[in-house]
Amino acid sequence: MLESMVTDTLALWRDAERCYRVVTARDSRFDGQFIMAVRTTGIYCRPSCPASTPKERNVRFFPTSAAAQANGFRACRRCLPDAVPGSPDWNVRADLAARAMRLISDGTVEREGVPGLARRLGYSERQLGRVLTAELGAGPLALARAHRAHSARLLIEVSELPLTDVAFAAGFSSVRQFNETIREVFATTPSQLRAFAASRRRHDVSGTRLSLRLPFRPPFDAVGLLRFFAAHAVPGVEEVTSTSYARTLRLAHGTGVVRLTPSSDHVRCELTLTDLRDLGSAVSRVRRLLDLDADPAAVTRVLGADGALAPVVAAVPGIRVPGAVDGEELLLRAVLEGPLPPGDEVPGEWGVTRLFPTAAQIASTGHPVAEALASGQLDVHVGRDAADLRAELLTWVGPSTADNVVMRVLGAPDVLLIDDPAVRRGAEALGIAPGSLPERARAWTPWCSYAGRYLRHAAGHG
């Protein structure tokens, strides 16, 4: 069943007739799942763009913005096609293209280049380029360029940085490259883009603090996420209120503090960064933490068809699987007991004052998992293959912990934590024998991770 569902998803952008029906209906649920490009205007849009629907013979469909850009199209300034939820494909798929997209979104190409990306994925640069071009219509450099263009647009619109500083903060190697990319992607200059944004500004700008709107596909169970974060918060590192969640971030070029406040159609993301080059990576990590690229309609179709799960699915629409901002941190939180060694302090903001300690800091206590992480024997990041990561983790932790790390770090949607006591209690509360969960899970594929969240909810846990 999983293979057929994934195949259907992958084929969506290739099914021109279906895509055109979505565009005609301006169905926002498909924003981020494919790109529509219009031959007569040279512009690409999100499916729900409010502009007049072009004639079917004049449109082409692409899987990514990078593919549209590589074919000579520029972004629509009315619908901002890069400012949409990401494709849920990158969570459902466990293949090379999905793993590469997660790493590219985290800024790996900007920091380590294509050789570093290929090395993390375990492929040659040539193999990687061939696969990504075939699957996504663009190679790693073009995909990274689209990511830089998105980061640059955010900085142009929501910061008062000089444009020269924006260029390097977004990952461009020169101001000339920055100017050319902005002109090619947005058909305008950086200064014109800033002036246009100022005329319709919806963002707050204050010093190094940026305030962004992070879109999601509704419905969105914000209450459940806040309850989960409150139950697991590390004092000083995280602060949870009834309406918001704040935490510190350890990023490639420095540190950050973020406060997330859900609303009806977006999450307000307030960020303070010591180095604005980390903007794209920070936003990507926060989106994974909140599972903002999920497709709740697809989850509901499968899980709502189960007679036992249906009532709780209806009662809690849009449930999300909490992710992680850092794989190393998540694993350490899962295995450590007792007080933590103090992490590095950061300027106080929104009730948080320090970073989670590094593996090297914890390794000084003699903990074997921390030592393995600090020495590089164990590597937990978003570009790992799920099966390989789980096998590596089992050398150091039990199956339940390994499954939880794979589910939350990689955003794997089809992991059922069968041995979780709360999952088992929730199953019993819904009339499902815990011993039958492995068999029952076959009908829940590929959304077992979400089924587990519903079972935990039935047991009264976040």
Side-chain angles (χ1 to χ4, degrees):
M1 182 175 179
L2 174 57
E3 290 184 0
S4 65
M5 290 193 70
V6 172
T7 300
D8 288 346
T9 303
L10 297 182
L12 176 59
W13 72 274
R14 299 181 189 277
D15 187 343
E17 183 178 348
R18 183 181 176 197
C19 287
Y20 191 74
R21 288 201 302 270
V22 169
V23 168
T24 301
R26 294 186 173 85
D27 193 333
S28 62
R29 294 175 300 171
F30 291 86
D31 287 351
Q33 299 200 36
F34 66 87
I35 291 292
M36 175 191 70
V38 186
R39 293 187 178 93
T40 50
T41 63
I43 290 173
Y44 69 87
C45 304
R46 63 170 78 186
S48 67
C49 182
S52 299
T53 304
K55 295 179 180 179
E56 187 171 5
R57 66 174 180 271
N58 292 330
V59 299
R60 291 181 62 186
F61 300 103
F62 296 98
T64 60
S65 295
Q69 292 169 21
N71 280 271
F73 294 94
R74 62 185 186 275
C76 174
R77 291 173 57 188
R78 182 173 182 181
C79 72
L80 298 176
D82 62 339
V84 296
S87 173
D89 285 2
W90 313 136
N91 287 344
V92 174
R93 297 172 60 175
D95 62 7
L96 176 61
R99 292 161 54 207
M101 282 299 293
R102 290 196 289 268
L103 285 172
I104 290 170
S105 295
D106 196 48
T108 298
V109 174
E110 282 73 23
R111 296 192 299 271
E112 304 174 27
V114 175
L117 176 67
R119 184 171 58 254
R120 283 179 173 267
L121 294 167
Y123 283 76
S124 71
E125 294 178 53
R126 189 173 184 178
Q127 286 175 307
L128 178 62
R130 186 167 60 246
V131 171
L132 294 184
T133 301
E135 289 280 334
L136 306 177
L141 284 176
L143 292 163
R145 178 178 181 266
H147 177 258
R148 284 195 297 273
H150 173 58
S151 296
R153 184 185 63 77
L154 287 178
L155 287 170
I156 290 168
E157 292 185 348
V158 306
S159 82
E160 296 176 342
L161 280 177
L163 293 175
T164 298
D165 293 345
V166 168
F168 295 108
F172 290 95
S173 59
S174 69
V175 174
R176 179 179 177 180
Q177 184 190 60
F178 163 68
N179 288 331
E180 289 177 351
T181 298
I182 295 301
R183 279 196 296 268
E184 290 175 11
V185 173
F186 301 109
T188 187
T189 65
S191 57
Q192 289 170 334
L193 189 59
R194 174 164 281 176
F196 178 72
S199 69
R200 47 180 282 181
R201 190 179 300 282
R202 297 181 298 175
H203 308 283
D204 298 329
V205 180
S206 177
T208 59
R209 183 182 298 179
L210 308 175
S211 182
L212 314 174
R213 295 163 61 98
L214 305 184
F216 54 75
R217 296 179 181 86
F220 179 66
D221 178 32
V223 172
L225 279 175
L226 290 175
R227 187 184 301 122
F228 178 90
F229 293 140
H232 299 87
V234 176
V237 177
E238 299 167 290
E239 181 70 22
V240 188
T241 71
S242 60
T243 59
S244 68
Y245 168 73
R247 67 153 297 144
T248 54
L249 301 169
R250 188 186 304 279
L251 300 162
H253 301 100
T255 63
V257 181
V258 62
R259 181 168 67 175
L260 303 165
T261 307
S263 69
S264 60
D265 62 353
H266 69 276
V267 173
R268 185 184 184 197
C269 172
E270 298 167 89
L271 268 172
T272 300
L273 301 171
T274 59
D275 192 319
L276 285 173
R277 287 179 294 174
D278 288 319
L279 174 63
S281 177
V283 170
S284 175
R285 295 181 187 206
V286 166
R287 293 193 65 83
R288 290 198 301 271
L289 177 70
L290 302 184
D291 196 15
L292 293 184
D293 295 332
D295 184 352
V299 173
T300 298
R301 278 196 301 272
V302 174
L303 302 186
D306 184 288
L309 279 181
V312 68
V313 171
V316 191
I319 208 164
R320 294 305 205 266
V321 177
V325 295
D326 184 274
E328 179 181 286
E329 176 190 315
L330 178 66
L331 175 58
L332 290 170
R333 291 173 70 150
V335 299
L336 293 176
E337 297 179 357
L340 294 168
D344 298 333
E345 292 187 359
V346 298
E349 188 85 40
W350 301 310
V352 295
T353 57
R354 62 187 178 89
L355 298 168
F356 190 86
T358 65
Q361 289 171 324
I362 296 171
S364 63
T365 67
H367 196 286
V369 173
E371 291 177 343
L373 287 167
S375 67
Q377 292 176 272
L378 185 55
D379 193 13
V380 183
H381 63 74
V382 295
R384 293 296 304 271
D385 173 78
D388 289 347
L389 177 58
R390 185 178 190 275
E392 190 172 296
L393 287 167
L394 288 175
T395 303
W396 307 95
V397 300
S400 295
T401 300
D403 287 340
N404 187 51
V405 170
V406 168
M407 177 179 73
R408 295 186 58 194
V409 172
L410 304 185
D414 203 28
V415 179
L416 184 62
L417 305 178
I418 292 172
D419 295 326
D420 183 337
V423 168
R424 298 178 74 85
R425 286 196 297 273
E428 290 178 335
L430 296 178
I432 301 172
S436 71
L437 283 173
E439 179 181 353
R440 198 72 174 246
R442 295 193 185 98
W444 298 338
T445 294
W447 309 118
C448 286
S449 300
Y450 296 87
R453 293 289 298 151
Y454 278 118
L455 293 175
R456 286 181 62 88
H457 181 85
H461 288 259

